[in-house]
Amino acid sequence: MYASYFNRDFSSSPIGKLPVELLSEIFTLCSLPSGQPSPISDDEGSYLPVINSETVRAPFILSRVNRRWRDIILSQSSLWASLCITAELIQETDCRGKGSSTKLKTAHIASSLQRSRRAPLNILIDARDPEWNFSEAGVGPDDADGPPIPTLFSPDHMAIVMSLLVPHLSRWRHLTILTDTWVPMHVALSAINPAITSLGAPCLESLTLMRCNDFVSFSPQFEPRDLKTPAFLSPLSPDAACQDLSILPKLKQLSLRGVHVDWDSLAAAMRSSVVGLSSLELASHCSDVRPSNDQFHSLLQSVPTLQRLVITGSGPEIPEEMEDAPPDHDPVPLHHLQNITIGYRTALEGRTVLQQLDAPNVKTLSLEDATYPGDPEEINGGSLLAYVGCRKFKGNDSEFRLEYPPPQLAVASGSKSSTMIHRRRSSTVLQSQESNAAFPLLENVTLKCVKSSPWPLRTFFNALPKLQHLELIGMSMQAVQALVPSSPGSMPTCPCPQLRSLCIRDSEQLQVCDLDFIIGNLGLERQSKGACRLSDVELHLDSARAACVAASPGSPGTRVNIYSDDEDDSDDDCDYMGDEDDMDLDPFSPGGAFNDPVFDSYYSHQILSQ
């Protein structure tokens, strides 16, 4: 009686008179995380859904409001196509005096699979345990203190989840599996592998497999050793290994962190891809499960459409006796590649990756010293910087030096742009733009804890005439000094003449006088040689140095933001404005302090056109 009365009363309200199409769009927006744009307005090729327990519960909650809403929501199969499977679904049960055990609640998983009908599935399996103590059976010394504490999300729970999901493999669109330990991941991959290697995943566009324990990857051998094989994507029969398997025809994004695969099968699958891989991330792999140099080269050749490449603590296996990068292969042409991140654990490891890339159109580069935090030995990354600058790994300081035309000419010659893909040594490229630089079109660079002598740093920066944003994390003052103009002979040079933004983090090595120079004289000296104005400087400091630097005069026209890293309250951050004109900025204008960035991205073009 009450339900009938409520439904009748609700239908006469204003919201009850909304058309079905409008309500459907509202329900779709309700299933998105806060701040997440609607998928219909995003580029379909780059859209990745953000899945969490809040978004998954939305259709269940809304369907209980009234009968009309329930009918509309049940008719929208896409609202039920997101699955978030976490430890929140695990409940304790009493085994009649035999102690407590845990049980995975699967009702909502089964309901979503049924109600989503044929809609592509977005799946997140987060088996991580916030109380995990980094102990794991078969990992580390055998005489560890006591047995490992079992994780909340057990291998048995993972097996139950896979039994529900694998029958719907043909509908998987996005799959993410996160685990702390290897056994649950191994259970999941063992359940998926027979189906995916025989039937394929025709709709799968993104695949993220992550073992969230980077420390185990520093071991020379994979642990636990008895679960090293079979690798994911291993063929079921030897005959299948020699064929190009069209098992992942639509895969665009692949991330493997701490999870190894059969590298030959992966390359074969990518060669048979219909759309081509656009993003590849390989990270945290032990030496004995990394691809060989030939396998890594073959993998790069199989992804000519690659736009983003991340190699951190991974890449080709380097034999211990090898002292230089193997010259076995020519660089792989990757003319669509825009973004590269390399986290090296040895200089040879980084050089081997760089030597295999022919990517002249890269716009963003990140280099990071990814060695073990407790390792007392420092890795000299100067050879990597030198290679980016002049495509040479060895040589003395004079061979590392690059000379460019005066900054005024470099800026003028760089003013012409082309929408065509740039290929090295093309006749259409201006002579002033040609150089031996590995990535001559870089606009954004991040250097994190890279140890180097001054000349490789200067060689690196001198080869970046288009660089606009630079971020230095844990770098010494030598990196800043390499940005100061020099006058070798009669040819004045200014590194990075178009640099406009500088960000410095983890700057324990920098003294207050160094920071004063950065916010004061650095921009002036660069402008005196014809470089662009350094318009933004961002410093992340401890509270003591932040207070000292905030009182220092800044360079005219430069906005300096100083953030105190040891303050929890962001309102206490220092915000120093070196340019008085910036203080007159309307806070309600697009990009202003009181304007929502999501709103800006959608509507700023409409405001500017009026």
Side-chain angles (χ1 to χ4, degrees), residues 74-386:
L74 290 177
S75 67
Q76 287 185 259
S77 58
S78 59
L79 292 180
W80 306 94
S82 294
L83 299 174
C84 180
I85 304 170
T86 69
E88 295 179 4
L89 300 179
I90 298 176
Q91 62 180 2
E92 291 189 1
T93 58
D94 188 3
C95 296
R96 297 182 179 180
K98 297 182 180 180
S100 62
S101 62
T102 58
K103 178 182 179 181
L104 181 70
K105 296 183 293 185
T106 60
H108 99 280
I109 302 176
S111 297
S112 296
L113 290 173
Q114 180 183 7
R115 294 171 179 177
S116 60
R117 295 186 286 278
R118 297 183 179 180
L121 296 174
N122 308 316
I123 304 170
L124 168 63
I125 304 175
D126 189 350
R128 295 174 296 178
D129 186 351
E131 298 183 0
W132 180 55
N133 64 350
F134 286 86
S135 63
E136 184 174 356
V139 176
D142 297 333
D143 56 349
D145 297 336
I149 299 177
T151 56
L152 182 60
F153 202 110
S154 69
D156 293 336
H157 297 146
M158 183 66 76
I160 295 173
V161 171
M162 288 296 107
S163 66
L164 295 172
L165 297 180
V166 170
H168 300 270
L169 175 63
S170 61
R171 293 201 288 138
W172 291 4
R173 183 181 182 185
H174 304 285
L175 174 64
T176 298
I177 303 179
L178 312 175
T179 67
D180 291 320
T181 59
W182 178 249
V183 177
M185 179 67 73
H186 184 264
V187 170
L189 299 182
S190 298
I192 298 172
N193 197 65
I196 201 171
T197 53
S198 58
L199 303 176
C203 294
L204 191 62
E205 297 181 8
S206 72
L207 176 62
T208 299
L209 303 175
M210 185 182 301
R211 180 189 185 184
C212 304
N213 184 1
D214 184 57
F215 290 102
V216 298
S217 66
F218 289 95
S219 171
Q221 293 182 323
F222 180 85
E223 295 180 336
R225 298 181 186 180
D226 57 333
L227 298 180
K228 173 183 173 181
T229 56
F232 185 53
L233 297 183
S234 297
L236 299 179
S237 63
D239 296 336
C242 302
Q243 303 175 1
D244 284 357
L245 305 177
S246 183
I247 58 177
L248 299 170
K250 293 186 178 181
L251 190 65
K252 301 176 184 178
Q253 304 186 32
L254 175 63
S255 178
L256 301 172
R257 298 185 66 91
V259 177
H260 57 282
V261 300
D262 186 296
W263 303 107
D264 291 326
S265 297
L266 177 60
M270 293 300 96
R271 282 192 294 268
S272 302
S273 174
V274 176
V275 298
L277 199 69
S278 61
S279 176
L280 174 63
E281 180 179 7
L282 305 178
S284 304
H285 291 127
C286 299
S287 298
D288 62 337
V289 295
R290 295 186 183 185
S292 66
N293 192 53
D294 292 340
Q295 289 174 325
F296 184 73
H297 188 268
S298 177
L299 178 59
L300 292 179
Q301 287 182 318
S302 68
V303 289
T305 58
L306 198 64
Q307 300 178 23
R308 175 178 175 267
L309 176 64
V310 178
I311 306 292
T312 302
S314 184
E317 179 187 5
I318 308 296
E320 294 183 359
E321 64 276 6
M322 185 174 294
E323 297 181 356
D324 201 357
D328 300 339
H329 303 287
D330 293 330
V332 179
L334 296 172
H335 297 297
H336 296 275
L337 193 58
Q338 299 283 316
N339 190 315
I340 297 178
T341 297
I342 297 179
Y344 57 91
R345 294 179 178 176
T346 66
L348 178 57
E349 181 178 296
R351 294 198 299 265
T352 304
V353 174
L354 284 173
Q355 195 175 30
Q356 300 204 33
L357 302 178
D358 178 16
N361 298 296
V362 171
K363 300 293 182 64
T364 301
L365 173 67
S366 177
L367 290 178
E368 175 185 358
D369 185 332
T371 54
Y372 187 74
D375 193 343
E377 182 181 358
E378 290 189 350
I379 302 299
N380 188 349
S383 59
L384 280 72
L385 298 174

Side-chain angles (χ1 to χ4, degrees), residues 43-80:
D43 178 34
E44 185 178 355
S46 61
Y47 172 71
L48 273 179
V50 178
I51 307 172
N52 54 42
S53 56
E54 176 186 351
T55 62
V56 172
R57 281 196 294 263
F60 288 93
I61 297 174
L62 294 173
S63 63
R64 297 173 182 174
V65 173
N66 61 69
R67 184 177 301 169
R68 182 170 183 250
W69 282 24
R70 181 176 179 82
D71 292 341
I72 295 174
I73 290 175
L74 290 177
S75 67
Q76 287 185 259
S77 58
S78 59
L79 292 180
W80 306 94

